[in-house]
C-alpha cells in the first residue's frame, strides 16, 4: 500500500471571475485545515488591498498580503500584492519580485507554482480556478512532475474555463471538481 502523502502547503491561482471563486472557496474551508495557502489572483497593478481585506472577512484564517522575506505560517492565507510576483523560497519564506510579466501577468500563477514546487516538492497541493488565459498550466505541470497534487475547477463550473482547460491540455489533474467540493477534498487530504 502506498504511504499517505503529508501535505505542507497549498497554492491557488485565479484570474477572471476569481474574486467570486476565491470568496466561495476560502469562505468554506473549515478552521481545522491548518496548511498555509498562497494565492495569486490577476489584478490591476493599481489595485488596493481590497482582495485581502475582503477574503479576511469571509475566511476562518488570517488573510493578508504577502510581505518580503515573511516566514510561511500555518492557518494563514497569503495574497500576492498587485504588480508583484509572489515566490516561495527554499527556506519556506516568501519573496516578492517586479521581474518581467509572465503570461502578460504580474503576479503570475506560473511564478508562484514553479517556486513552490521546488520548495515543497510532493508536499504541495495546487488549485487552479477560473481564468481567461493559460497562466498556471506550466506551473501546475511542474508541481505534478515534482510529485505534488493538482486540483482544477471543473471547467463547466468556471466563470471563464480557459485557465482550467489549459491545465487539462498539459496534464491529468488529480481532481476536476466544483468549488463546492474542494473544501471536503482538502480536508480529506490532510487527515
Amino acid at each position: 500500500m502506498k504511504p499517505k502523502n503529508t501535505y505542507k502547503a497549498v497554492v491557488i491561482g485565479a484570474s477572471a471571475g476569481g474574486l467570486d471563486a476565491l470568496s466561495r472557496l476560502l469562505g468554506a474551508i473549515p478552521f481545522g485545515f491548518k496548511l498555509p495557502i498562497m494565492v495569486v489572483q490577476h489584478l490591476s497593478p493599481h489595485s488596493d488591498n481590497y482582495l485581502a481585506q475582503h477574503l479576511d472577512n469571509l475566511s476562518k484564517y488570517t488573510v493578508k498580503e504577502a510581505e518580503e522575506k515573511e516566514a510561511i505560517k500555518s492557518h494563514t492565507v497569503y495574497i500576492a500584492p498587485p504588480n508583484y510576483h509572489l515566490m516561495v523560497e527554499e527556506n519556506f519564506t516568501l519573496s516578492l519580485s517586479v521581474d518581467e510579466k509572465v503570461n502578460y501577468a504580474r503576479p503570475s500563477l506560473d511564478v508562484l507554482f514553479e517556486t513552490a514546487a521546488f520548495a515543497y516538492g510532493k508536499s504541495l497541493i495546487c488549485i487552479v480556478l477560473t481564468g481567461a488565459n493559460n497562466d498556471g498550466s506550466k506551473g501546475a505541470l511542474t508541481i505534478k512532475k515534482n510529485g505534488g497534487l493538482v486540483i482544477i475547477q471543473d471547467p463547466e463550473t468556471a466563470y471563464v474555463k480557459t485557465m482550467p482547460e489549459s491545465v487539462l491540455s498539459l496534464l491529468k489533474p488529480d481532481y476536476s471538481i466544483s468549488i463546492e467540493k474542494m473544501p471536503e477534498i482538502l480536508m480529506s487530504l490532510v487527515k
Side-chain angles (χ1 to χ4, degrees), residues 73-114:
K73 297 179 186 162
S74 63
H75 251 134
T76 307
V77 178
Y78 300 94
I79 307 289
N83 213 25
Y84 285 91
H85 291 304
L86 176 59
M87 298 173 292
V88 177
E89 300 292 336
E90 289 184 10
N91 65 353
F92 306 111
T93 60
L94 299 172
S95 63
L96 303 173
S97 157
V98 289
D99 287 347
E100 291 299 310
K101 292 181 178 182
V102 175
N103 299 310
Y104 309 101
R106 188 175 55 225
S108 162
L109 280 65
D110 279 338
V111 171
L112 172 62
F113 290 1
E114 288 172 1

Side-chain angles (χ1 to χ4, degrees), residues 4-191:
K4 188 162 175 135
N5 198 347
T6 304
Y7 293 104
K8 295 182 179 165
V10 179
V11 289
I12 301 175
S15 187
L19 176 62
D20 176 63
L22 288 166
S23 298
R24 288 167 37 218
L25 175 57
L26 295 176
I29 296 174
F31 189 72
F33 188 80
K34 293 184 170 43
L35 301 188
I37 300 172
M38 288 142 285
V39 177
V40 165
Q41 161 69 52
H42 289 166
L43 299 165
S44 159
H46 309 292
S47 295
D48 57 17
N49 66 350
Y50 169 78
L51 180 64
Q53 290 176 344
H54 170 73
L55 295 173
D56 189 53
N57 289 334
L58 294 176
S59 172
K60 295 158 189 76
Y61 307 91
T62 301
V63 181
K64 62 186 298 299
E65 277 192 0
E67 296 176 42
E68 178 71 13
K69 303 301 178 204
E70 181 171 11
I72 297 169
K73 297 179 186 162
S74 63
H75 251 134
T76 307
V77 178
Y78 300 94
I79 307 289
N83 213 25
Y84 285 91
H85 291 304
L86 176 59
M87 298 173 292
V88 177
E89 300 292 336
E90 289 184 10
N91 65 353
F92 306 111
T93 60
L94 299 172
S95 63
L96 303 173
S97 157
V98 289
D99 287 347
E100 291 299 310
K101 292 181 178 182
V102 175
N103 299 310
Y104 309 101
R106 188 175 55 225
S108 162
L109 280 65
D110 279 338
V111 171
L112 172 62
F113 290 1
E114 288 172 1
T115 59
F118 296 127
Y120 285 103
K122 65 181 181 165
S123 301
L124 185 64
I125 299 169
C126 167
I127 300 175
V128 178
L129 300 173
T130 179
N133 70 12
N134 67 354
D135 191 19
S137 56
K138 288 180 182 168
L141 182 60
T142 302
I143 289 169
K144 194 76 171 152
K145 285 180 176 176
N146 279 275
L149 183 130
V150 176
I151 300 170
I152 64 166
Q153 181 176 0
D154 175 354
E156 297 310 311
T157 69
Y159 179 74
V160 180
K161 56 185 170 181
T162 310
M163 199 172 275
E165 282 183 339
S166 76
V167 174
L168 278 172
S169 73
L170 290 182
L171 63 104
K172 182 178 185 331
D174 297 276
Y175 298 93
S176 175
I177 54 178
S178 68
I179 287 173
E180 289 68 30
K181 293 181 180 167
M182 289 181 188
E184 182 183 345
I185 294 294
L186 288 171
M187 290 302 289
S188 73
L189 291 169
V190 298
K191 285 192 173 166

